[in-house]
Amino acid sequence: SWIIFKINCNITPNIDITISAACAGSITTCCDITSSGTYTLANNISSGGSCINITASDVELDCANFSILYGSSTSNTRGVNASTVSRINISNCNIIAPNATPTNRVGIAFRNVNDSLVRNSTVNNSLAGTAALFTIVARTTIQDSTLDGRNSTGGTVRWLTNTNGTLRNSTIYASLFGSFSIEAGSGNRMLTSTIDDSGNNRAVFLGTAASSTTLANSTITCRGNGFGLLMQTSNNIIEN
């Protein structure tokens, strides 16, 4: 028999992603990316609310190892948000929710986003919210990145729906809700990654609507009293 969790997919009410100005190619403050192209951070940027909102396809956002600080005073905010676009590449970013007061903050939020990549980035959302939340996405990858959701009640990485997505060469931390959840979608892969969960929930969770998932060459550490791997579905491959 399966242990069934109630999953509330409607976790983003009244999202505040209002940002005032369009981004220039060299980004010096929080802004909207409204045209295709390459955008590079020139310095650390910060906002009490959301910071970067992407509304165009074919966008390369290179943070050049600078930081995006967001949501310091407002709940329901996003560090980087993209919706109904394709081919979004985010690299070399440090995305941080800097304090514990606001709730429901998400470091990287993709909704209806396809063929996209998060690479060589760190997302620290260890105080309130979710580091990365993907909803209705396809062929979207997290690679060579660290995502920290310790002490967060929203889980660290949640793929509400991702098809043919990949988590590769990355590390995920959690202590309360769970580390890495694939709740729906098929053909997803977790490769050469490390999951470190010190809570009492589940380190890796495959929901009833997630199928044909491959977990390979990865390490799952469950330091609490929860599940290292909880699967509610079949036709999965676990190797090494």
Side-chain angles (χ1 to χ4, degrees), residues 46-78:
S46 63
S47 171
S50 296
C51 192
I52 298 290
N53 185 37
I54 301 172
T55 60
S57 295
D58 299 298
V59 166
E60 175 81 28
L61 173 62
D62 184 350
C63 293
N65 296 315
F66 288 112
S67 296
I68 296 173
L69 284 75
Y70 76 100
S72 59
S73 60
T74 306
S75 297
N76 304 315
T77 51
R78 306 293 181 254

Side-chain angles (χ1 to χ4, degrees), residues 35-203:
S35 300
S36 301
T38 299
Y39 297 82
T40 305
L41 261 62
N43 48 253
N44 296 331
I45 59 176
S46 63
S47 171
S50 296
C51 192
I52 298 290
N53 185 37
I54 301 172
T55 60
S57 295
D58 299 298
V59 166
E60 175 81 28
L61 173 62
D62 184 350
C63 293
N65 296 315
F66 288 112
S67 296
I68 296 173
L69 284 75
Y70 76 100
S72 59
S73 60
T74 306
S75 297
N76 304 315
T77 51
R78 306 293 181 254
V80 177
N81 183 78
S83 180
T84 318
V85 292
S86 298
R87 298 173 298 281
I88 306 301
N89 291 334
I90 298 171
S91 61
N92 307 314
C93 292
N94 300 299
I95 301 172
I96 303 168
N99 61 55
T101 303
T103 59
N104 192 30
R105 297 175 296 176
V106 177
I108 298 174
F110 283 173
R111 184 177 182 87
N112 294 317
V113 172
N114 298 327
D115 302 303
S116 296
L117 172 67
V118 177
R119 181 180 61 84
N120 194 35
S121 293
T122 298
V123 184
N124 188 331
N125 216 66
S126 62
L127 298 170
T130 304
L133 179 66
F134 292 177
T135 308
I136 318 176
V137 303
R139 300 172 301 280
T140 294
T141 294
I142 298 173
Q143 179 173 313
D144 302 321
S145 295
T146 299
L147 303 105
D148 191 341
R150 282 174 285 198
N151 301 315
S152 172
T153 57
T156 302
V157 176
R158 297 186 69 184
W159 292 357
L160 299 187
T161 309
N162 195 2
T163 300
N164 297 323
T166 303
L167 176 73
R168 185 194 307 272
N169 297 336
S170 294
T171 300
I172 297 176
Y173 297 99
S175 63
L176 291 179
F177 186 82
S179 294
F180 181 40
S181 298
I182 303 175
E183 301 176 24
S186 63
N188 293 298
R189 303 180 300 165
M190 183 177 82
L191 307 175
T192 57
S193 291
T194 299
I195 309 297
D196 191 320
D197 194 306
S198 57
N200 298 321
N201 208 291
R202 66 277 177 120

